[in-house]
Amino acid sequence: MDKQDGRSAGESGALRLDDPWYDALASGWGELDDETTPADEWDRTEKPEPVPVPPPVPVAEPRSAPHDEIYLAVQRSAAFQEVRRRYRRFVLPGTAVFLAWYLAYVVAATAAPGLMAHRVVGALNVAMLAGLGQFATTFLLTWAYARHARLRRDRAALDIRWETQELTGGNIR
Amino acid sequence: MTGDHQTLALVLFSVFIAVTLAITTWVSRRRHGSAEEFYAGGRLFSPMENGFAIAGDYMSAASFLGISGLIALFGYDGLLYSVGFLVAWLVVLFLVAELVRNCGRFTLADVVAARMRERPVRIAAGTASVTVSVLYLVAQMVGAGSLVALLLGGASQQARTWMVIGVGALMVVYVAFGGMRATTWIQIVKAVLLMGGAIALTVLVLIRFHGDFNTLLNTAAERSGHGREFLTPGLRYGGGWTARLDFISLGIALVLGTAGLPHILSRFYTVPTARSARRSVVWSIGLIGGFYLMTIVLGFGAAAVLGSSAVHASNAAGNTAVPLLALNLGGGAGSTGGTVLFAVVAAVAFATILAVVAGITLASSASVAHDLYASLRRPRGTAQDAQRAEVAVARIAAVGVGAVAIGLSLLAQDLNVAFLVGLAFAVAASANLPVLLYTLFWRRFTTRGAVWSVYGGLIPAITLVVLSPVVSGGTESIFPGVDFAVFPLENPGVVSIPLGFLMGWLGTLLSPEAADEARHAETEVRALTGAGAA
């Protein structure tokens, strides 16, 4: 029942992206004008040694102009645009593909029973294979998405997270 | 069904109730009444734990007994449900899970309120969430009443009434005292039990047919009385174009509804980061996919082993196919193996219902307290006082929601469970999904767009159901005597889901003010990076 043990045992060896407060804040990103930094800077794969950082004290501060400007600046930064582009370029076509495939399946099942009843091998007909195909593509796309996110987005997104939180003064909302 | 089954099943039910109550007590022993604790279980569950809990929340008794039963009776058409319920998870994984984890705190309305005027969108999204939850809750409890009474042999009206009341009372206890932490552990226990039961039965079916899936299908087709048609679509949803369009409508609602179910969305807040939310969904897709594959084997297995007519004779909706299959696989009625397997399946079904019902009750009490109460009351006292008051309201709301659900379930006892589930999915897809996707992906989306989108999906969905043959006009309607059914379909999704999207777009176009660029920037940065996430 001890979660902390279970979690660290399960993730030992891997970089603990899950546990924000034990990761180092990236250094050298204290200024607002960093939005002009080229993407490869943000995208670097090397990270400094993890240094335990105490959780910042949450400050209940009203929404302020600097707060807004920080987020607008981060949103305009090349690094963030790159993360967003990578995310959207995977999920938008991906969603279009699986929704189209699913709708085609449902429409075919209702509108083209003759085609679906066509026998392929043994007792398996087109309908059965299409149904099992939906299971297969779902598992495949799940694997592809998780892999894409892990390799292509997580690191860059985490860097931006620490950067932004450093600028806004911690975990305030 | 003999007395032996019932005694053993009752013992197993009692053991499960005792274990879950022990979990609730153990968990609430060290609660400190914070909102973080009550709504999100402290946010420290691991992806695997949460993946099991999501699967436990999602795989209802309607899936375990209902889908297998549909397959046993109608063959291929039952399988279409499994596919829809699974593919829906890709929408959740790709578009919703991580972004919602990063943007919100406890409820769906949190995500929308992050970039809109808080009060109107909270009231709208909170209302929609509570509506969806109550519909889904009624579906589960109606199922619980008929199912458990049926399994225990005493299908009398009184047994069902007491079963519904008992299930309702238990879920209120879990939620009000244990909050999200107890609910999550109950889901995990239930998911393990359900997967274990399904695996055991699937293995027994495959052993019976010597591992030959082909023989299994052929025998099922033969013994169904339908021949080869049993393995092709159309036995249940064939016929006129209305029936086919109805099925397409249901299919769309199933695939888009999951991402709008409040009790599923609230599960993502129980893990620390978006990355763990993603990994939870990957776990749950594995579990849910495996489970639905097994329901296919169980459904065709029931048709092959028992024959469709025997299944139909026991329960016209097919809900008892799996328990009967268990009895047969264990060695038949009267044998020890059969008795044990039957009781285990009944207990698993019972655990399933209790866990799902507790999860939905928690989500709706969160919507009532965190969205509706917090928006409508006058602010006074410190933030901490307000939070404490909110959690107290949530506990009371759990009792209230439980009472309403018990009342509605007793009224709706004769409604078809699968229809109620389809309806809850249709309302979720119409009212919740458009506003969520617009908020996360559309820069120009405004408060008016958000409010119009929620009501523009919610109101047509409910209205079309009221005007459908479900409520009036047919022999199986709620009011068979009158006829105001002007809408021909039973499932409103094909009309109301596009309307939800359309109204959100229209409301945004007609907004007096433009979207707040800064808050959109904050939402987008938070959604994709987790900066400032709770």
Side-chain angles (χ1 to χ4, degrees):
Chain A
M1 290 287 176
D2 192 337
K3 258 185 288 302
Q4 287 309 322
D5 284 357
R7 280 160 51 73
S8 43
E11 294 178 14
S12 59
L15 180 71
R16 301 189 52 179
L17 293 177
D18 262 344
D19 234 337
W21 307 123
Y22 293 97
D23 259 315
L25 294 177
S27 53
W29 289 93
E31 301 305 320
L32 248 185
D33 54 7
D34 279 338
E35 61 177 277
T36 55
T37 312
D40 55 336
E41 262 286 298
W42 285 84
D43 240 341
R44 66 195 182 280
T45 45
E46 295 290 312
K47 267 185 79 88
E49 277 294 299
V51 178
V53 175
V57 183
V59 187
E61 150 187 318
R63 278 162 46 81
S64 55
H67 176 94
D68 284 355
E69 273 157 29
I70 291 166
Y71 277 106
L72 281 167
V74 173
Q75 190 195 29
R76 282 191 295 263
S77 70
F80 178 77
Q81 300 272 342
E82 175 66 15
V83 168
R84 190 177 62 183
R85 195 183 60 83
R86 287 182 184 179
Y87 172 70
R88 293 198 168 173
R89 275 184 52 176
F90 187 91
V91 297
L92 298 183
T95 308
V97 166
F98 79 74
L99 276 185
W101 163 222
Y102 173 76
L103 280 180
Y105 168 72
V106 170
V107 170
T110 49
L115 168 74
M116 298 295 263
H118 186 76
R119 285 173 72 169
V120 181
V121 52
L124 290 176
N125 51 27
V126 174
M128 204 64 81
L129 288 177
L132 295 177
Q134 293 280 346
F135 278 85
T137 48
T138 302
F139 291 138
L140 188 72
L141 281 171
T142 302
W143 172 81
Y145 174 83
R147 185 186 146 84
H148 177 267
R150 190 177 73 241
L151 297 180
R152 309 269 295 151
R153 269 201 293 126
D154 277 354
R155 180 62 57 86
L158 196 67
D159 286 348
I160 299 172
R161 176 178 186 169
W162 301 139
E163 241 1 271
T164 312
Q165 288 185 176
E166 198 165 86
L167 294 177
T168 54
N171 205 6
I172 58 166
R173 302 169 45 79
Chain B
M1 305 184 188
T2 62
D4 281 355
H5 305 136
Q6 293 179 26
T7 317
L8 191 58
L10 274 177
V11 169
L12 289 176
F13 284 15
S14 315
V15 168
F16 181 75
I17 292 174
V19 168
T20 48
L21 286 178
I23 291 174
T24 310
T25 320
W26 177 75
V27 160
S28 53
R29 182 170 48 92
R30 42 171 197 188
R31 74 188 147 95
H32 9 268
S34 76
E36 220 82 10
E37 178 67 34
F38 184 80
Y39 298 132
R43 302 198 199 283
L44 277 175
F45 283 96
S46 75
M48 190 181 87
E49 288 162 349
N50 196 36
F52 269 86
I54 292 172
D57 231 342
Y58 192 64
M59 299 182 299
S60 57
S63 314
F64 182 46
L65 304 177
I67 293 181
S68 314
L70 280 177
I71 295 177
L73 291 181
F74 303 104
Y76 192 84
D77 277 4
L79 193 148
L80 290 162
Y81 271 92
S82 320
V83 171
F85 279 129
L86 178 67
V87 173
W89 279 93
L90 284 178
V91 181
V92 178
L93 177 69
F94 280 23
L95 302 176
V96 173
E98 290 174 56
L99 311 187
V100 164
R101 171 61 193 83
N102 277 336
C103 281
R105 291 179 67 210
F106 306 122
T107 63
L108 176 146
D110 283 341
V111 179
V112 186
R115 59 176 283 212
M116 304 296 166
R117 263 187 299 125
E118 189 151 349
R119 230 176 99 102
V121 297
R122 254 191 209 289
I123 293 173
T127 309
S129 295
V130 173
T131 310
V132 172
S133 297
V134 168
L135 279 173
Y136 204 65
L137 204 50
V138 170
Q140 296 297 329
M141 288 177 58
V142 168
S146 52
L147 186 79
V148 178
L150 199 68
L151 293 178
L152 290 181
S156 71
Q157 193 61 32
Q158 215 175 3
R160 288 169 60 159
T161 305
W162 281 109
M163 188 50 72
V164 167
I165 293 174
V167 167
L170 270 174
M171 90 195 175
V172 168
V173 169
Y174 295 148
V175 172
F177 293 106
M180 182 55 110
R181 203 186 285 268
T183 308
T184 305
W185 279 112
I186 292 169
Q187 314 282 17
I188 294 171
V189 170
K190 165 261 172 99
V192 171
L193 286 178
L194 186 59
M195 292 303 286
I199 290 173
L201 287 181
T202 305
V203 167
L204 287 175
V205 168
L206 290 177
I207 288 176
R208 174 73 64 99
F209 290 92
H210 309 291
D212 189 347
F213 192 58
N214 206 31
T215 318
L216 170 64
L217 288 181
N218 282 327
T219 317
E222 206 175 290
R223 297 208 57 192
S224 68
H226 296 287
R228 301 234 60 87
E229 280 179 26
F230 195 64
L231 305 179
T232 57
L235 270 186
R236 183 178 165 90
Y237 298 105
W241 278 104
T242 321
R244 294 178 186 197
L245 194 61
D246 218 348
F247 179 71
I248 292 176
S249 183
L250 176 69
I252 295 173
L254 290 185
V255 82
L256 296 179
T258 303
L261 290 177
H263 66 288
I264 296 294
L265 293 176
S266 68
R267 289 236 54 90
F268 301 131
Y269 301 125
T270 64
V271 290
T273 60
R275 183 164 175 266
S276 22
R278 179 202 314 145
R279 289 170 56 197
S280 328
V281 178
V282 172
W283 267 103
S284 59
I285 288 180
L287 290 167
I288 293 167
F291 174 76
Y292 283 126
L293 283 174
M294 291 191 283
T295 59
I296 296 175
V297 176
L298 294 183
F300 283 118
V305 171
L306 306 166
S308 294
S309 51
V311 172
H312 189 268
S314 169
N315 175 249
N319 285 333
T320 47
V322 174
L324 288 178
L325 178 67
L327 192 62
N328 188 304
L329 289 172
S335 68
T336 315
T339 310
V340 171
L341 264 186
F342 180 90
V344 166
V345 166
V348 165
F350 181 67
T352 294
I353 289 164
L354 275 185
V356 171
V357 158
I360 309 165
T361 309
L362 180 69
S364 45
S365 70
S367 287
V368 169
H370 186 65
D371 299 332
L372 297 179
Y373 170 78
S375 307
L376 295 173
R377 62 121 192 257
R378 291 166 193 285
R380 59 166 181 266
T382 66
Q384 208 161 22
D385 286 346
Q387 211 189 48
R388 227 172 266 279
E390 197 184 295
V391 172
V393 170
R395 291 181 204 277
I396 298 167
V399 179
V401 168
V404 169
I406 292 173
L408 286 177
S409 312
L410 292 178
L411 286 178
Q413 264 186 22
D414 297 324
L415 278 188
N416 176 307
V417 175
F419 156 73
L420 282 170
V421 169
L423 180 60
F425 272 74
V427 176
S430 314
N432 289 347
L433 188 69
V435 73
L436 197 55
L437 292 185
Y438 278 142
T439 303
L440 293 171
F441 291 96
W442 193 18
R443 189 169 55 84
R444 288 170 51 211
F445 197 45
T446 64
T447 303
R448 178 177 287 182
V451 172
W452 283 25
S453 158
V454 172
Y455 293 127
L458 182 65
I459 295 170
I462 302 286
T463 313
L464 289 178
V465 171
V466 171
L467 297 179
S468 77
V470 176
V471 174
S472 71
T475 46
E476 290 177 8
S477 309
I478 302 177
F479 305 111
V482 285
D483 186 357
F484 48 89
V486 290
F487 184 68
L489 304 182
E490 292 192 355
N491 192 300
V494 76
V495 176
S496 62
I497 297 170
L499 266 182
F501 280 104
L502 182 73
M503 291 305 285
W505 175 75
L506 210 62
T508 301
L509 281 196
L510 299 177
S511 275
E513 82 264 30
D516 186 336
E517 286 291 329
R519 292 178 77 178
H520 170 252
E522 184 175 345
T523 307
E524 198 173 76
V525 170
R526 273 177 59 186
L528 281 171
T529 68

